Amino acid sequence: MTAYDTAVIGGGLLGCATAWHLARAGNRVLLVEKDQVNRHASGQNAGSLHFQLEFRMVEHGDDAARAAARALPLHLDAVRAWATIEDELGERCGVSRTGGLMLAETPAEIAVLDRKAALEREYGLDVAVLSGPELRRFAPYLADTVLAAGHVPGEGKANPRLVTPALARAAGRHGAVLRTGCRVTGLHRRGRHWELRTGAGPGDTAGETHLADTVVLAGGVWTAELAAMADVRLPVFPVGLTMSATARSRPFLPHLIQHVGRRLSMKQTEDGNVLIGGGWPAKLVSRAGQVDLETNPELRYESLVGNADAARVVPAVWDLPVIRTWTGMTTLTPDHLPLLGAVPRRPGLYVATGGSAFTLGLTYARLLAAMVVTGEPDRAIEDYSPARFGALNFV
Ligand SMILES: Cc1cc2nc3c(=O)[nH]c(=O)nc-3n(C[C@H](O)[C@H](O)[C@H](O)COP(=O)(O)OP(=O)(O)OC[C@H]3O[C@@H](n4cnc5c(N)ncnc54)[C@H](O)[C@@H]3O)c2cc1C
């Protein structure tokens, strides 16, 4: 049995980034991943770096938007985190921050855009609402139906296939021990330590036990299952999402595109493919009344059509054949805020999940690692604390 300062469960972006921060701070870190690093949401997502409030945050009215805006301090931190990550890791991660536009096509949508921008400015986000000739000059590829757009300069994209493996390598260089194909099956408090049991998996020997002073749950959609191993209920819900990619084309779309009135995210990769997503659902697979988290969600025809509708606002996309569509799962909390911090009444147990955790993942990881090492992150994170769901836990 080996003892570690911290065991991180989950080899997605959050787990690998947290392991990297902890290891470079001198922690003895074990990272445990049941499959391969980057196998799930972190490697399947759209790679959007969106710092504006998303459609899902503004579609339910101003009160809901104001509540979701409580994560904006993390967005400001994430702008800075993505600006420096490639230099810090010494690897290219496909980061491009040439700006993002959130489109409005009706007067009612322009009004939402204006209210959204006013709210974002209260938190210090650099957002301008462009319209008329100014918008046409800035984004000549947009359809005439687009009347206005919220513009944030630092928005953009990163390559989900590169970021997390680079973070895992960096964690390894700082001494973190990475165990892939190794599923955590039990989590128990033993005196001052946490005892992790791992089950059999490819490349793993059955029934190993590891000790750690602290444990970070970075299990994505499996977070509730992992928390339950420590007898904690966390209200995190899996959501199935759909993405489509077009054939390659000449570069014509330099910005990240979103829409304030409907589901849409669109960007062009370095290779020239256009990636389309933005919250189009996929059907979660159930077995015996439980969501089967090990099986990819099923494609919904309406979501394919919804992806294709992106061409309405960027007409050049009409000519591009869709070459691939895929589904993945991500985690949401009931209030759309992140779940980040120490789990009450479970000394040394921490969690990070929920929200736009690709965009915000580097920030979650840095803050969580600081909390583990020093007890205090350098920015307030009480708004995102698991303690807000404390009423679900009687023990
Ligand atoms: C289709 C899609 C598009 C998205 N687009 C965007 C976007 O454009 N921008 C954005 O900000 N966010 C986006 N997201 C959300 C984003 O991908 C996730 O929030 C982020 O990647 C979460 O990373 P994670 O590390 O928490 O989870 P994951 O990447 O899922 O990693 C969790 C890991 O934990 C492991 N694990 C679970 N249980 C155990 C166990 N018992 N033992 C060992 N290991 C275990 C899993 O195998 C998994 O590898 C999108 C998500 C999807 C699915």
Side-chain angles (χ1 to χ4, degrees):
M1 192 186 313
T2 324
Y4 296 89
D5 295 321
T6 308
V8 178
I9 309 176
L13 187 146
L14 290 181
C16 293
T18 306
W20 169 53
H21 280 293
L22 286 170
R24 71 175 181 168
N27 246 245
R28 289 171 304 148
V29 178
L30 170 69
L31 176 77
V32 188
E33 164 55 52
K34 66 182 172 60
D35 297 313
Q36 292 298 318
V37 162
N38 211 30
R39 162 76 182 73
H40 295 285
S42 300
Q44 298 170 330
N45 65 60
S48 308
L49 304 180
H50 44 72
F51 305 119
Q52 303 185 55
L53 295 176
E54 295 169 65
F55 167 64
R56 69 181 163 91
M57 297 167 179
V58 297
E59 70 172 319
H60 300 295
D62 290 351
D63 287 348
R66 189 159 282 284
R70 282 156 61 210
L72 280 169
L74 302 180
H75 294 214
L76 299 180
D77 190 281
V79 175
R80 290 186 287 273
W82 284 104
T84 54
I85 189 67
E86 290 182 317
D87 286 344
E88 284 183 86
L89 296 179
E91 286 195 50
R92 281 192 54 255
C93 299
V95 179
S96 152
R97 300 176 308 115
T98 47
L101 291 171
M102 196 145 186
L103 313 182
E105 292 181 276
T106 65
E109 286 172 0
I110 295 176
V112 175
L113 203 58
D114 285 336
R115 290 201 299 278
K116 181 183 82 68
L119 178 58
E120 289 163 341
R121 283 191 206 107
E122 277 178 33
Y123 283 90
L125 191 72
D126 176 14
V127 51
V129 177
L130 310 180
S131 60
E134 191 187 8
L135 178 61
R136 301 282 150 233
R137 267 197 309 277
F138 188 75
Y141 53 80
L142 289 175
D144 292 343
T145 56
V146 179
L147 303 177
H151 173 236
V152 168
E155 288 191 318
K157 64 194 173 204
N159 187 334
R161 285 175 299 168
L162 302 181
V163 179
T164 298
L167 287 163
R169 282 190 285 275
R173 282 197 297 277
H174 286 283
V177 174
L178 268 66
R179 299 290 308 276
T180 56
C182 181
R183 180 186 288 266
V184 173
T185 55
L187 197 51
H188 299 276
R189 190 79 185 153
R190 299 271 184 247
R192 284 183 43 252
H193 304 285
W194 285 94
E195 186 185 277
L196 272 77
R197 293 211 197 106
T198 59
D204 184 36
T205 48
E208 280 192 352
T209 303
H210 305 279
L211 287 182
D213 295 346
T214 51
V215 170
V216 172
L217 307 181
V221 294
W222 290 270
T223 300
E225 185 180 302
L226 288 167
M229 292 181 196
D231 197 16
V232 176
R233 258 76 33 207
L234 292 178
V236 291
F237 301 97
V239 177
L241 293 175
T242 310
M243 292 289 309
S244 296
T246 72
R248 290 179 185 183
S249 146
R250 66 180 171 82
F252 69 94
L253 186 57
H255 306 122
L256 168 68
I257 301 294
Q258 297 183 90
H259 202 291
V260 79
R262 61 194 175 89
R263 295 168 176 155
L264 173 69
S265 79
M266 180 162 38
K267 69 194 69 69
Q268 192 169 21
T269 65
E270 272 179 337
D271 292 335
N273 312 83
V274 177
L275 297 188
I276 304 167
W280 289 97
K283 188 174 185 308
L284 298 174
V285 175
S286 294
R287 286 193 211 292
Q290 300 279 344
V291 175
D292 177 0
L293 296 175
E294 303 299 329
T295 304
N296 257 9
E298 290 168 4
L299 196 59
R300 281 178 187 264
Y301 174 74
E302 314 84 80
S303 292
L304 262 187
V305 175
N307 275 178
D309 195 43
R312 214 159 51 71
V313 288
V314 180
V317 174
W318 279 126
D319 300 329
L320 301 175
V322 168
I323 56 167
R324 193 161 86 87
T325 291
W326 69 96
T327 65
M329 272 181 277
T330 191
T331 324
L332 287 183
T333 57
D335 55 10
H336 284 246
L337 287 174
L339 189 64
L340 181 66
V343 177
R345 295 195 286 271
R346 296 292 180 277
L349 186 65
Y350 298 83
V351 63
T353 193
S356 306
F358 187 76
T359 301
L360 303 180
L362 298 177
T363 291
Y364 290 6
R366 185 180 63 76
L367 293 171
L368 200 63
M371 210 170 168
V372 170
V373 173
T374 66
E376 275 300 322
D378 61 21
R379 105 179 7 263
I381 58 171
E382 291 88 25
D383 273 355
Y384 325 118
S385 167
R388 72 190 189 274
F389 301 119
L392 298 175
N393 291 287
F394 286 9
V395 283

